[in-house]
Amino acid sequence: MQAEHSSAELPQLRRQKILLILERDGKVMASELSQHFAVSEDTIRRDLSELASAGLVQRVHGGALPRPKDTGKDYFTRVSETDEVKTRLAQLAARRVKDGQIVMFDSGSTTLQIARSLPSDIVITAVTASPMIAITLAEYKGITVIVAGGQLNPATMSSSGHETLRLIEGIKADLVFTGVCAIHPEVGLSSLHFDEVPVKQAMLASASHVIAVTTADKLGAVEPFVVAPCARVHTLITERHVASGNLEDYQRLGIEVVQADA
């Protein structure tokens, strides 16, 4: 980067430009931004701290990474915003489920949509810590539903705690649909909520095949609490319009990448 801006530039305008650079490049480094804006690294670090406090970036050593666009939204808001893209992703994911399997459903609006997209005559055993997903799955005559109960988090509408973990750890599933708050090829899967990290980790450890289903805005993004490295994911299902270059890092990790048609 070359110095192109006056050091007298308004901080708010500079921070908006930092966000544009972050959207374009997928990450920003304080040293490079310092040169770009002709200000000190301390000034840039203050900018990044302000952006992080506003929930717009995730601070990392030496710079910042993007956060998902829906970060901080409550569960029912995210469910009500389910769109055609998320529905198409869920339908594609639901095709991976076969009769006779034990399938774990992580919490989340996308996994709820996957549950809604299963064939009406599917015969499986389903395990979930989400009451909303359990209710949806209970409508299928051929699905036996096991609910991993515990303390309910209203923000995620899922349970956590010792009892939840004990049940999940006692099951060896064929398949898990892991909820994706954010996924980054270097950082891995990460979550906004600390209490759901052990539950997600237990599900990943208990399943033979892990499928992550996500919209494009969560690719390359980071939340505060790391769940697991990307290598723990076997299949990544995402949107068709994502540039192939943005997916190559995941493919290099041995992940099967599937893009849904529009």
Side-chain angles (χ1 to χ4, degrees):
M1 295 181 182
Q2 296 180 348
E4 301 174 359
H5 303 273
S6 167
S7 59
E9 189 169 47
L10 292 173
Q12 188 59 38
L13 177 59
R14 187 175 59 247
R15 290 165 190 167
Q16 290 175 356
K17 291 182 177 180
I18 289 173
L19 291 175
L20 291 174
I21 294 171
L22 182 60
E23 183 177 359
R24 182 192 69 194
D25 297 345
K27 67 177 179 180
V28 291
M29 301 301 294
S31 58
E32 295 178 355
L33 291 174
S34 172
Q35 295 177 20
H36 184 72
F37 292 106
V39 296
S40 69
E41 287 193 35
D42 284 342
T43 296
I44 294 298
R45 281 192 283 268
R46 285 194 293 271
D47 288 338
L48 296 179
S49 293
E50 288 293 328
L51 292 171
S53 296
L56 299 174
V57 306
Q58 179 62 44
R59 287 297 309 274
V60 295
H61 180 68
L65 294 170
R67 296 190 73 181
K69 293 179 181 178
D70 67 350
T71 189
K73 292 183 179 179
D74 68 82
Y75 180 87
F76 292 103
T77 298
R78 287 184 284 115
V79 169
S80 67
E81 292 177 346
T82 297
D83 56 18
E84 184 178 347
V85 172
K86 189 173 290 187
T87 299
R88 184 71 188 94
L89 294 174
Q91 291 170 344
L92 186 58
R95 295 176 190 169
R96 296 295 182 109
V97 181
K98 307 299 180 185
D99 281 339
Q101 289 184 323
I102 298 176
V103 183
M104 288 188 175
F105 291 82
D106 195 2
S107 61
S109 58
T110 302
T111 43
L112 174 61
Q113 193 63 35
I114 295 170
R116 291 171 173 169
S117 301
L118 293 170
S120 59
D121 59 349
I122 195 77
V123 179
I124 61 171
T125 297
V127 183
T128 186
S130 166
M132 296 292 290
I133 293 176
I135 291 170
T136 297
L137 293 169
E139 296 177 3
Y140 292 83
K141 293 182 178 180
I143 297 182
T144 299
V145 182
I146 299 174
V147 183
Q151 182 173 339
L152 187 68
N153 182 342
T156 61
M157 285 303 294
S158 63
S159 58
S160 62
H162 176 71
E163 292 300 321
T164 307
L165 293 175
R166 186 172 66 173
L167 188 144
I168 293 171
E169 290 169 351
I171 297 174
K172 296 303 178 186
D174 299 291
L175 184 65
V176 62
F177 292 110
T178 184
V180 178
C181 297
I183 182 168
H184 189 282
E186 297 177 16
V187 178
L189 292 160
S190 55
S191 173
L192 177 63
H193 303 281
F194 177 74
D195 65 331
E196 72 176 5
V197 171
V199 176
K200 289 179 177 292
Q201 290 173 335
M203 286 189 169
L204 294 176
S206 297
S208 299
H209 194 90
V210 176
I211 298 180
V213 185
T214 182
T215 49
D217 65 293
K218 296 183 180 181
L219 295 171
V222 176
E223 291 285 25
F225 304 108
V226 177
V227 176
C230 280
R232 190 65 192 87
V233 175
H234 299 100
T235 301
L236 174 64
I237 299 177
T238 191
E239 300 176 51
R240 171 63 64 184
H241 75 265
V242 179
S244 59
N246 295 334
L247 297 174
E248 289 176 357
D249 287 337
Y250 301 98
Q251 292 171 321
R252 279 193 287 268
L253 294 170
I255 300 173
E256 174 196 17
V257 177
V258 180
Q259 293 178 269
D261 294 327

